[in-house]
Amino acid sequence: MNNRLTIISICTVVLLLGLSSGCSRQEQEGWTDGTGDSRPVALRIGGVSAGAVVTRSQSTLLNSPGDKISLFLQGSAGYAPIRNREFTYSTPFWTSPEGLVMLTDRPASLAASYPYREGQTATQDLRTQEYAPQDDFLYCRFAANKRDASVVLNMHRAYARLCFRLSPQTGDNAYTGEGIIDEFRFTAGGIVLRAQLDLFTGVLTGEAPQADYTFVSVKNRGKRFTVADPLEVAFLAVPAVLAGDITVEAVIDGKHVGTSVSATRLCGVTGRMVPGTSYDINIVMNPSGMTSGEVSAQQWTEFPVRGTGDYEME
């Protein structure tokens, strides 16, 4: 009898030691939920840049108190969808009042947008319109899992920009008028008025291009341009392929003037407007009218800021 009790006691001790050893290994290797996923790790956003490469002369980092972005996670096996979660700048990592975003071994498909807007969805409506800073829109899409949970986000602009820069002629044929704009409009073929951007895929679904469409600037009526202070008349443009000429008509100091520039001269042989690119047309006013000067297509590096204003299309 005593021998039997001894054998039972020894077996019990061995079993408990085995269970203890198993628990220790599980704690060391990480918790599993039976599907092979290890213990989740929180997403850590260490930095966000907006609109351009960071240079010595111009920082594009979002690093001011109150800077906010929207975060989205696409629902999939193992992940519930996250819609428009607010993240606010903080150090060392951005924080959210709605809590942590937990990642497993499975890759998660995520997207972020700037600026943060209540009601923002993962499908962004874009429209070609006169530029206003608050209408600018930047986003990025990225993947992460528990092994790559620390990220730095580089936002990209969804729009292209079309900018007309007005200045007076100098020298022998100098323009001596006041340089007051009473009216400004441009007409172009191939313009896409509205489109929808899928933040998870980056796919843009737009309306059919317009054969010819005229945009009227209402923000610059009554404004003045000078040699020292040229005037920029800018538009946010849904990326599209322009065709033919871009025709400018204006009333300056009560005089009707106009000029034009070909889409291929401005955008290259394809006429394509690329997101995040600023297409700039220099327009020079002289005593007999206006002429188009230098044109350029360059990375749109101006840092996005907030603002107000209306737009008008006809």
Side-chain angles (χ1 to χ4, degrees):
M1 182 69 175
N2 289 337
N3 290 338
R4 183 178 300 174
L5 290 174
T6 299
I7 292 172
I8 292 173
S9 298
I10 292 172
C11 291
T12 302
V13 170
V14 170
L15 178 62
L16 290 174
L17 287 173
L19 290 174
S20 175
S21 175
C23 290
S24 297
R25 284 196 302 270
Q26 189 179 56
E27 290 173 355
Q28 291 171 0
E29 296 171 0
W31 174 86
T32 60
D33 61 3
T35 65
D37 287 343
S38 45
R39 189 182 300 275
V41 170
L43 174 70
R44 297 182 292 269
I45 301 174
V48 180
S49 65
V53 177
V54 178
T55 66
R56 292 182 179 179
S57 61
Q58 183 180 41
S59 172
T60 62
L61 289 175
L62 297 177
N63 56 6
S64 299
D67 281 342
K68 297 179 181 180
I69 62 173
S70 297
L71 187 89
F72 303 85
L73 189 152
Q74 192 170 39
S76 61
Y79 290 110
I82 292 177
R83 302 179 180 89
N84 200 33
R85 180 167 295 186
E86 175 186 323
F87 271 77
T88 303
Y89 170 75
S90 184
T91 57
F93 303 111
W94 288 57
T95 60
S96 172
E98 300 176 62
L100 301 173
V101 176
M102 304 305 295
L103 301 171
T104 68
D105 283 329
R106 295 189 177 100
S109 178
L110 300 110
S113 65
Y114 175 81
Y116 172 80
R117 296 168 180 158
E118 291 187 7
Q120 178 71 49
T121 70
T123 301
Q124 171 66 21
D125 292 325
L126 303 179
R127 61 183 180 183
T128 298
Q129 58 187 291
E130 190 166 7
Y131 176 75
Q134 81 276 6
D135 293 325
D136 199 358
F137 184 80
L138 300 93
Y139 78 105
C140 70
R141 51 196 181 94
F142 62 103
N145 60 21
K146 67 163 294 183
R147 292 182 179 84
D148 296 300
S150 296
V151 298
V152 174
L153 305 181
N154 182 23
M155 300 283 190
H156 301 280
R157 279 187 160 95
Y159 285 103
R161 184 177 74 159
L162 180 59
C163 180
F164 302 90
R165 187 173 294 108
L166 282 71
S167 62
Q169 177 74 45
T170 60
D172 294 338
N173 196 31
Y175 183 71
T176 57
E178 292 185 82
I180 303 295
I181 293 184
D182 301 311
E183 186 175 329
F184 184 96
R185 65 180 66 204
F186 82 92
T187 302
I191 289 286
V192 173
L193 297 181
R194 292 176 177 83
Q196 290 189 321
L197 174 67
D198 186 321
L199 301 189
F200 289 120
T201 65
V203 173
L204 191 66
T205 305
E207 298 178 350
Q210 301 291 309
D212 283 298
Y213 202 84
T214 299
F215 290 85
V216 176
S217 170
V218 298
K219 302 177 186 298
N220 295 286
R221 288 174 180 164
K223 290 187 178 180
R224 183 185 182 192
F225 59 87
T226 65
V227 173
D229 189 18
L231 178 64
E232 292 188 347
V233 181
F235 295 82
L236 291 173
V238 174
V241 178
L242 303 185
D245 289 339
I246 301 167
T247 302
V248 176
E249 299 174 283
V251 178
I252 297 177
D253 295 332
K255 181 179 181 178
H256 290 263
V257 292
T259 189
S260 65
V261 61
S262 69
T264 54
R265 181 186 171 201
L266 178 63
C267 304
V269 292
T270 64
R272 182 177 299 278
M273 301 187 78
V274 178
T277 302
S278 182
Y279 297 88
D280 302 332
I281 303 172
N282 287 290
I283 296 177
V284 179
M285 186 68 185
N286 57 56
S288 59
M290 62 165 46
T291 59
S292 59
E294 294 182 356
V295 301
S296 64
Q298 55 193 339
Q299 184 182 19
W300 182 6
T301 58
E302 291 180 356
F303 191 76
V305 293
R306 296 184 180 276
T308 58
D310 300 321
Y311 72 97
E312 175 183 327
M313 296 187 297
E314 76 170 27

